[in-house]
Amino acid sequence: MPKFKFEYKITLAYLLIGSLWIIFSDKFLITIIDDIDFLTDVQTYKGWFYVLITALLFFLFLKRHLKDLRTTKKELENHKNNLQNLVLEKTKDLDAAFEQLEKKNKEINLKNQELEKTLTELKEAESHLLQAEKMASIGILTAGIAHEINNPLNYILGGLTGLQQYFEEEKIENEKVTLFTGSIETGIERVNAIVSGLNKLSRNKEAFDEECDVHDIIDNCLNIIGNRLKNGISVSRHFAKDLPVVKGNVGQLHQVFLNILVNASQAIPDKGKIEITTKNEKDAIFIEVKDNGCGIEQGDLKKVTDPFFTTKEPGEGTGLGLAITYNIIEEHKGRLEFESEVDKGTTVRIELPKS
C-alpha cells in the first residue's frame, strides 16, 4: 500500500471535513429553518464559524510543527557550529602536528648533513692517515736506498775519476775508452738524479715555506717513473723560460705530479703522448698535463677527487691519489681542474699562487 506524504494527508483531510460540513450542515439547517433570509444569514455565520475553527486548528497545528522545525533548525545550527569548532580544533591540532613533523624533519636533515660531513671528514682523515703512513714508509725506504746506493756509487765515481786522471796522465786517447767512461758518467748522473728525486719525494716536512722549482719537481718525477712509461709513450715538455719558484712543500708537490703523471701513463693503453706545459701569469703559475688516453666519462669526472673513488680494476688503485692531490693543491691555496673526453684524453690544469 503506497504511503502518502504528510501534506497530501492534511489536504485530503481538510477537503473531506469541509465537504461533509457543508453537505450535512446545509441539510440540517434546511430542515429546521423555513425563512430564506434567516437561512442565508445562518449559512453566512456558519461559513465564518468554519473559517475561524479551521484557522484555529491550522494555527495550533502549524505552531506545533513550526516549533519542531525551529527546534530542529536550532539544533542543526548548534551542531553545525560545534562541527565547525571541532574542525577548527582538529585543523589546529593538525597544523601543530605538521609543525612538529616539519621541525623533526629539519632536525633529521640537519643531523644527516652533520653525519655526511663527519663521514666525509673521516674519509679524508683516513686517506691522510694512509698517505702519511705511506709517505713515512717511503721516507724510511728511500733514505735507506739512498744510503745504500750512494756508497757503491761513490766507489764507482771514485774509480771513474781515477781512470780519467790516469788516462790524462798517461796521455791515453782512445775513442772507445772515451765512449765507455762517458757512458759510466752518464749512468752515475742518472742514478744521482733518481736518488735526489726520491729524497725530495720522501720529505716529511709539514711547512709550506720551501722554495719549490716546479720544473725541477716535474723532471724528478719523470725520472722516478721513467721505468713505468711504456715504450710507445712520448713525453714532451713545453716549459716557460721565466717560471719563478713558488713557496710550498717540495715533498707534497712531488706527490702531486707523480699521481698525475702515473694516471696519465696508465690511461694510455699502448701508444700515445703526454704533454706538459707551464705558463707564467701575473699572480700565479699554471701547469697543464695533457694525455691522449682513454679519457673519463662525464658522470665520473666530478667524482675523481672523492676519496676511494676509482675507475680502475680492483687491485690496481685505491682511489686516494687524486683525492690527496686535490687536498695538497688546496693546502697550497691553488686550484685543480679536469677536462676529459672518452677515447680522446684528459687534461689536468693546476694553478699555484706565486706568493
Side-chain angles (χ1 to χ4, degrees):
M1 185 176 180
K3 292 183 179 181
F4 293 99
K5 293 183 179 180
F6 175 76
E7 58 267 26
Y8 297 149
K9 290 180 181 179
I10 194 66
T11 303
L12 184 62
Y14 177 75
L15 292 174
L16 181 62
I17 294 171
S19 300
L20 292 173
W21 169 259
I22 293 170
I23 294 170
F24 289 103
S25 62
D26 285 345
K27 287 183 178 182
F28 176 73
L29 290 174
I30 291 171
T31 57
I32 64 173
I33 300 173
D34 295 329
D35 189 353
I36 299 300
D37 295 330
F38 181 67
L39 180 63
T40 302
D41 293 335
V42 171
Q43 286 179 338
T44 301
Y45 295 137
K46 181 194 68 168
W48 280 109
F49 174 76
Y50 178 78
V51 170
L52 290 173
I53 293 298
T54 54
L56 179 62
L57 290 174
F58 274 119
F59 171 75
L60 294 174
F61 176 79
L62 290 174
K63 181 181 179 182
R64 177 187 173 188
H65 284 275
L66 287 175
K67 183 180 179 181
D68 292 339
L69 287 173
R70 290 189 182 101
T71 303
T72 304
K73 182 180 179 182
K74 188 174 182 180
E75 290 176 354
L76 286 173
E77 287 180 353
N78 291 334
H79 182 68
K80 178 182 177 182
N81 292 331
N82 292 333
L83 186 60
Q84 287 178 343
N85 292 332
L86 182 62
V87 169
L88 289 174
E89 290 176 2
K90 293 297 182 182
T91 303
K92 289 179 181 178
D93 292 340
L94 286 173
D95 289 340
F98 180 75
E99 288 178 1
Q100 289 290 332
L101 183 61
E102 191 174 18
K103 185 178 179 182
K104 291 290 183 184
N105 283 336
K106 287 181 179 178
E107 291 176 358
I108 291 171
N109 290 333
L110 184 61
K111 289 189 179 295
N112 285 338
Q113 291 175 1
E114 291 175 354
L115 286 173
E116 288 178 1
K117 183 180 178 182
T118 303
L119 182 61
T120 302
E121 290 174 353
L122 284 174
K123 285 185 176 182
E124 291 178 356
E126 184 179 7
S127 67
H128 279 297
L129 181 61
L130 290 173
Q131 188 61 21
E133 292 178 355
K134 176 182 174 183
M135 293 304 296
S137 301
I138 290 175
I140 296 171
L141 179 63
T142 53
I145 291 174
H147 177 72
E148 294 300 326
I149 290 177
N150 277 332
N151 284 334
L153 198 62
N154 287 332
Y155 286 113
I156 296 171
L157 183 59
L160 177 63
T161 304
L163 282 174
Q164 288 175 336
Q165 290 177 352
Y166 172 77
F167 291 144
E168 288 178 1
E169 291 173 358
E170 296 296 327
K171 295 181 180 180
I172 299 174
E173 293 183 2
N174 188 288
E175 290 183 1
K176 287 186 178 182
V177 171
T178 303
L179 178 63
F180 293 151
T181 55
S183 297
I184 295 172
E185 190 172 3
T186 301
I188 293 171
E189 290 175 354
R190 169 72 173 165
V191 173
N192 268 326
I194 293 173
V195 172
S196 175
L198 288 173
N199 281 329
K200 291 178 180 178
L201 171 65
S202 61
R203 289 187 186 182
N204 289 324
K205 288 185 66 176
E206 295 182 358
F208 292 84
D209 57 355
E210 297 178 286
E211 291 189 352
C212 304
D213 186 335
V214 173
H215 290 167
D216 184 50
I217 291 172
I218 294 173
D219 287 336
N220 285 334
C221 291
L222 289 172
N223 283 331
I224 292 170
I225 67 167
N227 65 317
R228 300 193 62 170
L229 294 174
K230 304 179 183 72
N231 292 330
I233 297 177
S234 63
V235 179
S236 58
R237 301 173 177 87
H238 307 285
F239 288 170
K241 294 181 180 180
D242 57 346
L243 197 72
V245 296
V246 295
K247 290 290 185 180
N249 188 297
V250 173
Q252 291 188 12
L253 287 181
H254 271 80
Q255 193 177 350
V256 166
F257 290 106
L258 270 178
N259 287 334
I260 292 172
L261 290 169
V262 168
N263 283 344
S265 66
Q266 291 177 342
I268 299 173
D270 188 14
K271 294 182 179 181
K273 60 182 179 179
I274 299 174
E275 297 181 17
I276 307 168
T277 305
T278 61
K279 295 179 181 179
N280 180 20
E281 300 293 343
K282 183 179 180 181
D283 298 319
I285 66 170
F286 293 85
I287 307 99
E288 185 177 278
V289 180
K290 183 178 181 181
D291 67 72
N292 61 347
C294 59
I296 305 170
E297 293 184 2
Q298 292 301 311
D300 294 334
L301 198 58
K302 296 179 181 179
K303 300 184 285 184
V304 292
T305 57
D306 292 346
F308 306 104
F309 175 80
T310 179
T311 57
K312 298 175 184 177
E313 295 294 327
E316 293 186 6
T318 61
L320 291 175
L322 290 180
I324 292 167
T325 297
Y326 178 80
N327 287 333
I328 291 173
I329 297 299
E330 285 282 305
E331 289 172 347
H332 281 78
K333 310 300 180 186
R335 288 196 305 170
L336 179 67
E337 296 178 352
F338 296 87
E339 182 180 319
S340 186
E341 191 172 347
V342 177
D343 297 330
K344 290 190 177 181
T346 303
T347 300
V348 182
R349 296 185 180 90
I350 300 172
E351 176 185 346
L352 292 174
K354 290 183 179 180
S355 60

